[in-house]
Amino acid sequence: MAILECKELVKSYGKAAALDGVNLTVESGHIVGLLGPNGSGKTTLIKLANGLLTPTSGEILVDGKKPGKETHSVVSYLPERTCVPLWMSTRKLLDFYQDFYADFRRERAEEMLQHLNIRMDQTIKQMSKGTREKVQLIMVMSRAAKLYLLDEPIGGVDPATRDYILNTIINNYDPEAAVIISTHLIADVEQVLDEIIFINQGQIVLQSSVDQIREEKGMSVDALFREVFKC
């Protein structure tokens, strides 16, 4: 079943089109890489799917509905920048998610936090950048959502943290759900992807399964990306 559909989707900022006639379908049960250079429209598409922006024209549907109040209960969103208040302790953050989201699986979140030796009384401000990234991802992935939208989840963190983040994504999403990972770090995420969407200058360049790329093109997703987007 399609969890995300875009039909002739356009989003403009003034005269500049961030998305220009996007058509795509993302099915449940897949981890999808939304891949493109910086400024290609990845974040705009993710914000539209999360209801943070409204289309200029065309249509976007999440679980068959326009993004908004109804779809917030099925979408779990990780923004590009940490948006958790720095004064919050780990415990207060858990309380907040439990109060706010009916599908939040607190026990799962606590288990992962314990694994990282993060104290319940530690504040976000006291954590390193990598730890903050991990904590925010744990909160997002501890929801039993239908669609996970992860905007640059591995940008700016060390390789060990990247491995932890990718393992957390694989091990904690419902197989009936879909995960969309927006990134330009292709080699790092390729191993977890089922499908890819190449986007450039607001337009979809390619949508394909990873297996199909390897079989038909005889190359990795990273190699194909470099070929398609070479300067």
Side-chain angles (χ1 to χ4, degrees), residues 52 123 136 181 222 227:
L52 294 171
T123 64
Q136 187 158 302
I181 303 174
D222 185 49
E227 187 176 284

Side-chain angles (χ1 to χ4, degrees), residues 77-123:
Y77 168 58
L78 180 78
E80 188 176 358
R81 292 178 180 83
T82 306
C83 65
V84 177
L86 297 180
W87 59 265
M88 266 195 179
S89 66
T90 309
R91 184 177 288 107
K92 282 193 169 73
L93 189 57
L94 287 164
D95 292 343
F96 172 79
Y97 265 78
Q98 192 168 14
D99 288 345
F100 214 76
Y101 299 108
D103 63 358
F104 183 60
R105 299 168 289 189
R106 183 169 183 141
E107 279 182 23
R108 180 172 292 195
E110 286 177 345
E111 197 178 299
M112 287 190 278
L113 291 164
Q114 200 174 359
H115 179 70
L116 290 175
N117 297 315
I118 294 170
R119 300 192 323 270
M120 286 294 126
D121 60 349
Q122 191 174 2
T123 64

Side-chain angles (χ1 to χ4, degrees), residues 53-224:
L53 297 172
T54 52
T56 303
S57 64
E59 188 175 44
I60 182 166
L61 299 174
V62 172
D63 202 24
K65 306 173 192 74
K66 286 185 179 178
K69 205 172 180 181
E70 272 189 277
T71 61
H72 286 161
S73 62
V74 300
V75 173
S76 195
Y77 168 58
L78 180 78
E80 188 176 358
R81 292 178 180 83
T82 306
C83 65
V84 177
L86 297 180
W87 59 265
M88 266 195 179
S89 66
T90 309
R91 184 177 288 107
K92 282 193 169 73
L93 189 57
L94 287 164
D95 292 343
F96 172 79
Y97 265 78
Q98 192 168 14
D99 288 345
F100 214 76
Y101 299 108
D103 63 358
F104 183 60
R105 299 168 289 189
R106 183 169 183 141
E107 279 182 23
R108 180 172 292 195
E110 286 177 345
E111 197 178 299
M112 287 190 278
L113 291 164
Q114 200 174 359
H115 179 70
L116 290 175
N117 297 315
I118 294 170
R119 300 192 323 270
M120 286 294 126
D121 60 349
Q122 191 174 2
T123 64
I124 304 300
K125 191 175 184 176
Q126 292 169 329
M127 297 174 188
S128 68
K129 185 181 187 296
T131 303
R132 286 178 196 177
E133 302 267 356
K134 290 174 188 171
V135 168
Q136 187 158 302
L137 183 77
I138 284 169
M139 297 298 151
V140 168
M141 296 309 298
S142 292
R143 287 186 54 202
K146 288 186 179 179
L147 176 63
Y148 297 88
L149 299 171
L150 312 178
D151 195 359
E152 296 288 356
I154 58 170
V157 294
D158 61 82
T161 300
R162 283 180 195 174
D163 289 345
Y164 179 84
I165 285 170
L166 293 172
N167 286 331
T168 302
I169 292 167
I170 297 164
N171 296 325
N172 289 281
Y173 92 101
D174 185 329
E176 298 298 307
V179 181
I180 296 177
I181 303 174
S182 157
T183 188
H184 57 277
L185 300 169
I186 319 304
D188 293 294
V189 299
E190 182 169 346
Q191 77 226 35
V192 308
L193 302 178
D194 301 310
E195 286 183 19
I196 58 98
I197 297 166
F198 282 178
I199 185 169
N200 194 29
Q201 297 180 337
Q203 296 183 327
I204 303 303
V205 179
L206 174 71
Q207 183 171 6
S208 172
S209 77
V210 171
D211 288 343
Q212 205 173 351
I213 287 169
R214 288 176 185 146
E215 284 166 19
E216 292 179 8
K217 308 277 187 187
M219 59 174 72
S220 67
V221 173
D222 185 49
L224 181 61

